[in-house]
Amino acid sequence: MARRARPLGPAVAAGAAAAALVLALALVPLGAVAWRAEAGAGLGPADWAAVRFTLWQAFLSAALSCLLAVPVARALARRNFAGRGVLITLLGAPFILPVIVAVLGLLAVYGRSGLISDALGLLGLGPIDIYGLTGVVLAHVFFNLPLATRLVLQGWLAIPSERFRLAASLGFAPSDVARVLERPMLRATLPGAFLVIFLICMTSFAVALTLGGGPRATTVELAIYQAFRFEFDLGRAALLALVQFALCAAAAVLAFAVALPTGMGAGLDRPVARWDATGRALRLTDAAWLAFAALFLILPLGMVVAKGLPGMAGLPASVFAAAARSVLVALGSAALTLALALPLALAAVRLGGAGGAALQAAGTLSIATSPLVIGTGLFILLFPVADPVALALPVTALVNAAMSLPFALRALVPAVAEAEAGFGRLADSLGVAGRSRLRLVLLPRLRRPAGFALGLSAALSMGDLGVIALFADPSQATLPLQLYRLMAAYRMEDAAGAALLLLILSLALFWVFDRGGRAHAAA
Amino acid sequence: MLRLEGLMLQQGRFRLIADFGVEEGHIVALLGPSGAGKSTLLDAIAGFLPPARGRVLWRGQDLGPLAPGARPVSMLFQDNNLFPHLSVEQNVGLGLRPDLRLGADDRAAVAAALDRVGLAGFETRKPAALSGGQRSRVALARMLLRGRPLVLLDEPFAALGPALKREMLTLVAELAGETRATVLMVTHDPADARAVADQAVLVADGRAEAPRPTEAIFADPPPALRAYLG
Amino acid sequence: MRFPMIAAAALAAGPAPAQTPVLTVYTYDSFVTEWGPGPQVEAAFEDVCGCDLRFLAMGDGAALLARLQLEGARTEADIVMGLDTNLTARAADTGLFARHGRDDVKLDLPVGWDDDMFLPYDWGYFAFVYDKTKLATPPGSFQELIAAPEDLKIIIQDPRSSTPGLGLLLWVQAAYGERAGEIWQGLAPHVLTVTKGWSEAYGLFVEGEADMVLSYTTSPAYHLIAEGDDTKAAAPFAEGHYMQIEVAGRIASSDQPELAERFLDFMLTDAFQSVIPTTNWMYPAVTPEGGLPQGFETLISPDEALIYAAGEAAKVRDAALETWRAALAR
């Protein structure tokens, strides 16, 4: 109601501009590729097989991630134990790992010469074989279970503790609590979590190929790669990219229609006091789930560390130069992410309703674009007017920023809504408007989610090979590119060291921003 | 004077009509059962709820086109009257400059206002470090500094104990007297109304009646008030 | 702040003539890294050319060609170096390349060379590499590989995204023609996985995931010479080995045609060729005067070199890919 009394003003204009920019970044390069194309071949049966496989593996990966996230998040929500905070931070690590590093870490555990196969070998059993759909889904769950857990845990902690107190005073059993309090929360949280993970898995390529075991595991992104690289059929590449984008957009519309999860930027550092889950069996169940999550997620990370340590000492100077460049790109990308996400979030909250949802959807869809097509399209657009090589790092930062925008929005939008709901009227009545409102009212209330968004965006940018490979100048490699170069030069031990450096830097960037947002965060 | 001219407010299926004036300098209690529309009326005057019909006039000027912050109004809400991330000085300073670019004179004025409400030296504290009564005083210091001629209280002291609440209302009455402000206050407590308000408006059954002297209204309560008082 | 820095940079550059000609060479990424031939080649050519040699790198050979096709006639490239014979037909079709006009080039290739547009600078054979300590008797042919116990696993690369992957596709095609589908079906149970590129595959092999990996006959030379590790070897296959010949060509619209010609000449001299074996880990197109580095004599040398002529590879490629996909997608 109060909304109407206030003019929509520059906030909405800025948000609309940010949304337009993000949409343009997703669609204009695609258009450029299509425009540059000569008459290409249409989609064949192999392409539709790729579409089916892509949808199926994304569905399985998202469903399994969400399903496993529920008991893990529940255990985290209702148990307090030493190391809980560390566990939650480490849970964030797989999500920001470069694909090749994570895959090698996973195979060090689940591979034919991994820990499990070695253990089986001691018992006289043969090695396990995860290649195929199993491997693809395993890797995707490894990447995304932490994200799902974080989203669901946030939902749990958003249930006011008074409700649990009330439930306890009414003598609710755990099953009653689940029915009355937890299921409605999950019903509101899971569709959004499912969507984000589904979209991430839709554009997966290297994971699907490396662990998929063969051309069965061809995803749309690989088909795009083939059209572009093998056939140089830009029309087909654009068509496939459009199909991929349309599928993601359809999924997004569907999930937005069901529900949206609320912010994942808020504090996760306090368990909810519970009176219903004190039974011994429940405690054991929770402990088992936590042990499962910790082992599943941290063991492969441990292997990355173990394999990387020997190579760390002798890393060539160029790796550190690349690391410094990557940190710069990550910082630029993080700043850009916030510069895009903040006006989008403000405008989405100010507009509310369908308009607000449309703005958020625009900001989320950047995840659905093919990096190869974006990179190629940008190249087609930039080449006539500028030196693409000179723009390599800024363009990389911009594309990385667009890719992490959905996560930043998910953290910021609910926080903006909460700040406006709590203090909007006071600010109105005092005439605090425009930039003063941003500076004095909103930004201080957004420190936590903004810190989280900056950290996540910086970390994601750090690990992303991104479009740099299409624009590269020999002297401008980022750390992931340098990692690949080490591998291409047979220097596998150095590459493992560089991977560890990448892991450390990504986590450190995330940690610094995330903590920075929490320190001094007002009550 | 404040004039509500053929005012009709609508929120979903709820309606409230009001058509009366309030002379300046009075402290007016809004009385009535829960859900009768007392807060809704204040929201309309403050500019948070555009009327479905009619106008709100202050000294003859239509307030309709003015944003909440531009109206001659200070409002204290039920809660969230202070920004928890800003210091006491900043919270009060907002009453002078919404962009908080405070000069030396401004700071002195803030200090003086804090002194007046009994919080001298509290400038650097954050709201979390204050008691409930102290927080109310900070909000009152800001109200004092804003110097708006119309003060709206939407039960800002409801969470305080009876003695403290009375103390705050008395302080409001004193400050209003010093600044010749007109006060409209929502209350559930007839005793509060009698203690500080010289006039009372009965809000019931979709109507806000014209103000009458508090003592008179309690001496001879209309049926709706009688039902409310029980 | 900016201007003094620029001024300082100009001063530091010293008396170098302002009009130093720049030769721009497009190549693939691994050529230009500090471990690749790039730095030594650049220094050696700049010593003699009075020019600035500028490398621009993009992905691999196929990415390089795609980039060139995107840029078209407006490309800044004077030389494109790093295409192979599977790409030269498509590259020639762009109409961007000039003929090299040399008819008496002396090359040390196992096969003849009569392309009048592209000149080779190095070559190698694709081969399956294995660890001698883990696999005592490697299969000696595709047939033996098919007949091996099913737990003998190989890692290959996707022909759609990788040069060696395409090489294997053509290798089987060249060796077996019509029977390629049958061979792929036989190989399918042994294929542990198919990776996006060589790096992923070789990384997995080094981690011990599979018994053999598709690479080059020269790969063991890296381990022997750079790491002193003689446990890696390439398995000689009776069907012969498919070749990769890497070539360079001059862009017709180049504004430095003479410099570009000089670079092509330089490319076949010892100064360039002697760098290749231990940086690109391939055979030089012209064996340097001092011969190959010590260690290369331990490498297998296939009895038969298989290769499609430039146009042929493009013709069989699409059908071979379909065969491959059908056989492995089971």
Side-chain angles (χ1 to χ4, degrees):
Chain A
M1 270 300 157
R3 199 173 286 127
R4 261 199 300 151
R6 226 171 333 127
L8 292 175
V12 171
L21 179 68
V22 174
L23 266 189
L25 197 59
L27 292 175
V28 171
L30 206 164
V33 172
W35 167 75
R36 181 69 173 65
E38 288 136 36
L43 300 187
D47 296 319
W48 292 115
V51 167
R52 279 195 302 276
F53 176 77
T54 306
L55 287 171
W56 179 231
Q57 60 84 17
F59 173 83
L60 276 184
S61 305
L64 205 58
S65 298
C66 287
L67 214 66
L68 291 174
V70 171
V72 176
R74 182 174 54 203
L76 280 172
R78 66 188 180 189
R79 303 290 166 210
N80 201 4
F81 52 91
R84 185 175 173 277
V86 177
L87 181 62
I88 290 178
T89 302
L90 278 179
L91 283 187
F95 189 61
I96 52 184
L97 276 184
V99 167
I100 181 67
V101 176
V103 165
L104 288 177
L106 276 173
L107 286 176
V109 177
Y110 304 99
R112 275 166 42 91
S113 56
L115 293 178
I116 295 179
S117 289
D118 284 355
L120 289 174
L122 292 179
L123 302 173
L125 298 167
I128 53 169
D129 185 353
I130 58 160
Y131 295 91
L133 189 60
T134 323
V136 177
V137 173
L138 178 80
H140 282 162
V141 172
F142 174 72
F143 279 117
N144 295 306
L145 175 59
L147 178 65
T149 303
R150 216 177 154 113
L151 286 169
V152 176
L153 178 58
Q154 185 54 46
W156 241 291
L157 298 185
I159 301 177
S161 54
E162 293 79 8
R163 305 262 170 84
F164 287 107
R165 214 163 52 196
L166 180 62
S169 74
L170 294 173
F172 276 22
S175 61
D176 302 318
V177 170
R179 191 181 64 249
V180 177
L181 293 178
E182 296 175 338
R183 267 181 226 154
M185 179 281 293
L186 290 174
R187 161 77 185 66
T189 311
L190 284 178
F194 181 90
L195 170 70
V196 178
I197 296 168
F198 184 82
L199 290 182
I200 293 172
C201 297
M202 278 289 285
T203 50
S204 163
F205 166 18
V207 168
L209 194 55
T210 305
L211 294 174
R216 281 181 303 279
T218 295
T219 60
V220 179
E221 186 71 23
L222 175 60
I224 294 173
Y225 208 81
Q226 174 187 353
F228 182 72
R229 181 188 184 284
F230 191 77
E231 294 153 358
F232 197 68
D233 185 342
L234 293 180
R236 220 168 79 82
L239 192 59
L240 284 162
L242 200 63
V243 166
Q244 176 168 306
F245 192 81
L247 288 172
C248 291
V253 168
L254 216 72
F256 267 83
V258 184
L260 264 180
T262 50
M264 47 183 186
L268 302 175
D269 31 19
R270 87 203 140 85
V272 178
R274 293 281 290 268
W275 293 268
D276 61 305
T278 48
R280 192 183 164 76
L282 280 178
R283 279 220 297 273
L284 284 176
T285 314
D286 283 351
W289 277 110
L290 289 174
F292 154 76
L295 282 178
F296 177 66
L297 297 168
I298 293 173
L299 218 47
L301 291 179
M303 297 308 285
V304 171
V305 175
K307 289 192 184 287
L309 277 177
M312 272 292 258
L315 280 181
S318 61
V319 170
F320 292 101
R325 218 169 285 125
S326 270
V327 169
L328 277 183
V329 171
L331 293 177
S333 169
L336 272 172
T337 303
L338 202 61
L340 289 171
L342 200 58
L344 258 174
L346 293 177
V349 170
R350 192 65 62 86
L351 275 177
L359 279 188
Q360 285 192 65
T364 304
L365 276 176
S366 55
I367 213 177
T369 52
S370 153
L372 186 64
V373 170
I374 288 206
T376 306
L378 283 176
F379 183 84
I380 292 171
L381 291 170
L382 290 175
F383 179 65
V385 292
D387 178 8
V389 173
L391 292 174
L393 294 180
V395 165
T396 303
L398 179 64
V399 172
N400 286 348
M403 293 296 171
S404 39
L405 190 57
F407 310 107
L409 278 181
R410 235 144 252 276
L412 281 174
V413 168
V416 172
E418 203 183 295
E420 278 291 346
F423 300 98
R425 277 159 51 109
L426 176 59
D428 281 347
S429 79
L430 293 173
V432 181
R435 281 165 55 182
S436 298
R437 191 190 193 90
L438 193 62
R439 180 168 57 90
L440 297 174
V441 181
L442 289 172
L443 288 185
R445 317 275 334 145
L446 297 179
R447 281 190 64 135
R448 258 168 187 258
F452 172 78
L454 281 171
L456 189 70
S457 154
L460 280 176
S461 171
M462 218 33 226
D464 191 35
L465 186 57
V467 294
I468 185 85
L470 289 160
F471 289 77
D473 173 318
S475 60
Q476 284 192 340
T478 55
L479 188 49
L481 185 58
Q482 197 68 3
L483 194 161
Y484 270 92
R485 286 179 166 178
L486 282 163
M487 290 187 80
Y490 289 94
R491 287 173 156 71
M492 301 297 169
E493 187 169 297
D494 286 346
L500 177 56
L501 180 64
L502 185 51
L503 175 64
I504 292 170
L505 286 176
S506 299
L507 271 182
L509 274 175
F510 177 75
W511 188 84
V512 164
F513 279 117
D514 195 40
R515 283 291 134 180
R518 277 153 202 250
H520 317 297
Chain B
M1 98 176 215
L2 173 72
R3 168 118 214 111
L4 308 179
E5 190 180 85
L7 198 62
M8 183 173 89
L9 307 175
Q10 196 157 8
Q11 267 185 324
R13 293 171 66 182
F14 172 81
R15 280 182 180 198
L16 181 72
I17 56 175
D19 191 1
F20 58 81
V22 176
E23 295 294 336
E24 288 185 40
H26 289 288
I27 296 184
V28 183
L30 301 188
L31 291 165
S34 189
K38 303 183 293 290
S39 298
T40 309
L41 190 60
L42 289 195
D43 279 354
I45 297 169
F48 291 112
L49 178 66
R53 216 170 56 210
R55 302 193 295 171
V56 178
L57 301 156
W58 175 252
R59 294 177 185 163
Q61 186 201 358
D62 181 9
L63 297 185
L66 297 183
R71 298 190 177 207
V73 170
S74 278
M75 183 160 179
L76 296 190
F77 304 100
Q78 279 179 14
D79 43 33
N80 287 350
N81 281 305
L82 300 181
F83 293 105
H85 53 277
L86 298 182
S87 68
V88 164
E89 180 181 54
Q90 288 174 310
N91 265 297
V92 176
L94 280 172
L96 281 179
R97 298 204 48 148
D99 62 1
L100 264 190
R101 301 191 194 284
L102 301 178
D105 293 352
D106 297 327
R107 283 167 192 274
V110 168
L114 282 175
D115 189 31
R116 173 64 190 87
V117 298
L119 288 182
F122 277 65
E123 279 87 343
T124 57
R125 300 249 196 130
K126 288 276 179 77
L130 300 178
S131 72
Q134 287 170 331
R135 278 180 228 169
S136 300
R137 287 171 190 273
V138 175
L140 289 177
R142 185 178 63 213
M143 184 199 88
L144 182 65
L145 216 49
R146 289 192 86 203
R148 302 281 161 116
L150 190 53
V151 171
L152 309 179
L153 305 183
D154 190 4
E155 297 191 273
F157 314 123
L160 305 179
L164 198 49
K165 182 170 70 168
R166 184 66 54 82
E167 193 183 319
M168 288 300 137
L169 287 173
T170 312
L171 182 55
V172 170
E174 281 174 34
L175 296 176
E178 289 164 22
T179 57
R180 299 172 186 285
T182 307
V183 179
L184 263 60
M185 53 179 271
V186 169
T187 182
H188 278 109
D189 187 348
D192 283 347
R194 295 168 93 148
V196 292
D198 57 338
Q199 293 195 332
V201 163
L202 179 62
V203 185
D205 304 326
R207 287 186 73 81
E209 307 283 354
R212 289 167 56 193
T214 312
E215 285 313 319
I217 208 169
F218 279 112
D220 177 21
L225 183 60
R226 202 171 299 146
Y228 169 59
L229 294 172
Chain C
M1 197 58 210
R2 267 199 127 147
F3 292 103
M5 276 174 72
I6 291 171
L11 285 176
Q19 294 297 318
T20 306
V22 177
L23 183 73
T24 304
V25 177
Y26 281 17
T27 185
Y28 47 77
D29 199 59
S30 64
F31 195 94
V32 300
T33 63
E34 59 190 288
W35 313 283
Q40 292 180 59
V41 166
E42 185 176 345
F45 188 60
E46 285 179 351
D47 273 349
V48 296
C49 73
C51 70
D52 178 11
L53 176 61
R54 178 172 164 239
F55 283 119
L56 281 184
M58 40 223 85
D60 62 0
L64 183 57
L65 179 55
R67 168 75 167 265
L68 197 65
Q69 284 179 281
L70 281 180
E71 295 186 354
R74 305 188 44 187
T75 184
E76 282 180 42
D78 300 306
I79 294 278
V80 174
M81 179 172 63
L83 306 175
D84 65 19
T85 45
N86 298 324
L87 297 167
T88 47
R90 204 173 100 199
D93 283 346
T94 63
L96 295 173
F97 287 90
R99 298 188 192 284
H100 61 69
R102 295 163 175 78
D103 47 8
D104 59 341
V105 194
K106 280 216 176 310
L107 297 169
D108 297 301
L109 295 179
V111 293
W113 187 259
D114 58 1
D115 193 307
D116 61 355
M117 200 167 268
F118 299 99
L119 284 170
Y121 62 91
D122 68 10
W123 60 278
Y125 293 108
F126 294 111
F128 285 97
V129 171
Y130 66 100
D131 186 330
K132 287 190 279 190
T133 61
K134 292 180 183 162
L135 192 63
T137 49
S141 66
F142 284 109
Q143 301 281 6
E144 282 186 36
L145 176 53
I146 290 170
E150 217 173 87
D151 65 354
L152 191 151
K153 297 290 185 189
I154 61 173
I155 298 176
I156 61 175
Q157 299 86 4
D158 196 306
R160 296 168 288 181
S161 56
S162 137
T163 304
L166 181 59
L168 177 62
L169 186 78
L170 296 172
W171 183 1
V172 172
Q173 194 67 34
Y176 285 95
E178 292 290 300
R179 289 179 57 209
E182 189 187 312
I183 294 299
W184 278 118
Q185 276 177 34
L187 288 176
H190 297 285
V191 175
L192 181 70
T193 194
V194 181
T195 64
K196 175 178 176 249
W198 178 89
S199 299
E200 289 91 345
Y202 210 81
L204 293 185
F205 166 71
V206 169
E207 292 293 317
E209 273 301 287
D211 304 290
M212 303 175 93
V213 63
L214 177 64
S215 187
Y216 296 89
T217 57
T218 41
S219 297
Y222 170 81
H223 299 284
L224 185 65
I225 295 170
E227 295 178 339
D229 164 15
D230 65 354
T231 62
K232 305 291 189 295
F237 270 28
E239 292 92 341
H241 287 245
Y242 198 78
M243 282 183 72
Q244 182 182 25
I245 304 177
E246 298 194 291
V247 305
R250 178 167 76 76
I251 296 294
S253 60
S254 160
D255 57 355
Q256 299 287 348
E258 283 168 29
L259 209 46
E261 281 298 332
R262 283 181 65 190
F263 182 80
L264 290 181
D265 286 336
F266 168 80
M267 191 176 81
L268 295 174
T269 63
D270 272 12
F272 182 109
Q273 292 288 315
S274 63
V275 174
I276 290 295
T278 54
T279 52
N280 231 23
W281 302 101
M282 296 281 273
Y283 287 106
V286 179
T287 310
E289 214 164 285
L292 294 170
Q294 204 180 359
F296 269 66
E297 75 286 353
T298 64
L299 302 177
I300 61 161
S301 94
D303 297 332
E304 192 181 351
L306 303 172
I307 191 164
Y308 280 107
E312 291 299 304
K315 270 183 222 150
V316 301
R317 204 189 61 164
D318 288 354
L321 180 69
E322 235 3 89
T323 307
W324 173 84
R325 179 150 53 189
L328 287 193
R330 294 268 180 101

